[in-house]
């Protein structure tokens, strides 16, 4: 990331699908030092439950996630967070799901790509016990998406009327539309190709 930004050709850079861990932790310093790094971070989270993360063989746990999010929020308090979450992984209890839901709310994740777990033949996970009914998987995913939509609406209201820099992607009907560095869609009067 530093090498890309060092070329001097980069107006801004947005990162996506970062797995929590040593690389993500090192990125916190880059966010602190580099204003061209968009204030949006999308984590390949999958879950915040220690038991579920262990079953998924993920190299992080809830404590590490909280430490990372705390450090990130400290250097980028207005940043927007997003995450990928798998709902209904084999053995996921209501308590496991609640831990993930509470974590997403605690750190104000405004974008959540939640999807129901799906078995992949031949994988270790497909042979695990404790399959969750498909309807429950889907209901959990929907509920996380609804929660995120509410947080995003509150975030948008907070930003409304503020002066921001956007990358214009589309102009029509006298408006220019694009994304802020915080990954919020913005519209401005006038057409700026």
């Amino acid at each position: 990331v530093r090498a890309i930004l060092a070329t001097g050709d980069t107006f801004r850079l947005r990162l996506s699908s970062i797995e929590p861990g040593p690389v993500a932790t090192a990125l916190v310093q880059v966010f602190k030092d580099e204003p061209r790094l968009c204030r949006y971070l999308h984590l390949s989270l999958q879950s915040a439950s220690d038991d579920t993360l262990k079953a998924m063989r993920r190299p992080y746990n809830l404590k590490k996630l909280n430490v990372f999010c705390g450090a990130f929020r400290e250097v980028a308090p207005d940043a927007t967070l997003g995450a990928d979450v798998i709902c209904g992984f084999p053995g996921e209890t209501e308590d496991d799901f609640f831990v993930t839901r509470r974590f997403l709310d605690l750190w104000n994740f405004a974008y959540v790509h939640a999807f129901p777990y799906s078995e992949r033949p031949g994988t270790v996970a497909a042979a695990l016990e404790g399959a969750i009914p498909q309807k429950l998987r889907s209901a959990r995913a929907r509920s996380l998406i609804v929660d995120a939509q509410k947080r995003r609406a509150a975030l948008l209201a907070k930003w409304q009327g503020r002066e921001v820099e956007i990358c214009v992607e589309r102009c029509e009907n006298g408006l220019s539309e694009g994304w802020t560095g915080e990954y919020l869609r913005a519209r401005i009067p006038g057409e700026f190709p």
Side-chain angles (χ1 to χ4, degrees):
V1 170
R2 287 191 190 275
I4 291 168
L5 293 169
T7 66
D9 297 332
T10 306
F11 170 67
R12 70 181 190 181
L13 181 65
R14 176 176 289 120
L15 302 176
S16 187
S17 296
I18 303 298
E19 183 175 283
V23 171
T25 301
L27 280 173
V28 170
Q29 187 62 43
V30 182
F31 274 97
K32 183 177 181 181
D33 298 339
E34 184 51 70
R36 291 177 297 162
L37 199 53
C38 288
R39 295 319 194 230
Y40 173 74
L41 189 60
H42 192 93
L43 298 179
S44 182
L45 180 69
Q46 311 315 344
S47 177
S49 159
D50 286 345
D51 290 341
T52 303
L53 290 168
K54 185 176 180 181
M56 290 178 171
R57 298 182 178 177
R58 297 284 169 171
Y60 47 89
N61 58 28
L62 180 58
K63 182 179 179 181
K64 289 179 181 178
L65 291 170
N66 281 315
V67 168
F68 169 75
C69 286
F72 180 69
R73 281 280 185 229
E74 190 173 310
V75 301
D78 282 338
T80 305
L81 285 170
D84 296 322
V85 179
I86 297 172
C87 295
F89 191 81
E92 181 186 70
T93 65
E94 283 295 326
D95 286 343
D96 294 327
F97 174 70
F98 179 74
V99 167
T100 299
R101 189 176 202 170
R102 186 175 57 207
F103 174 83
L104 295 169
D105 192 51
L106 172 68
W107 296 108
N108 200 27
F109 278 77
Y111 291 92
V112 176
H113 298 152
F115 44 94
Y117 167 76
S118 59
E119 290 81 359
R120 305 267 191 237
T123 63
V124 173
L128 292 175
E129 293 183 12
I132 308 300
Q134 186 63 45
K135 282 187 177 183
L136 182 55
R137 298 177 203 180
S138 296
R140 287 177 179 175
R142 275 192 310 275
S143 71
L144 293 184
I145 291 168
V146 168
D147 289 350
Q149 289 170 338
K150 291 175 185 174
R151 288 189 295 268
R152 188 165 52 252
L155 182 64
L156 288 168
K158 178 182 133 184
W159 279 87
Q160 192 168 2
R162 287 174 66 176
E163 186 174 310
V164 294
E165 192 172 78
I166 68 170
C167 181
V168 174
E169 292 182 350
R170 183 172 62 175
C171 300
E172 62 183 34
N173 302 324
L175 291 174
S176 292
E177 191 173 289
W179 295 92
T180 70
E182 294 77 20
Y183 200 55
L184 304 172
R185 184 162 288 286
R187 292 184 188 96
I188 55 174
E191 294 192 13
F192 303 94

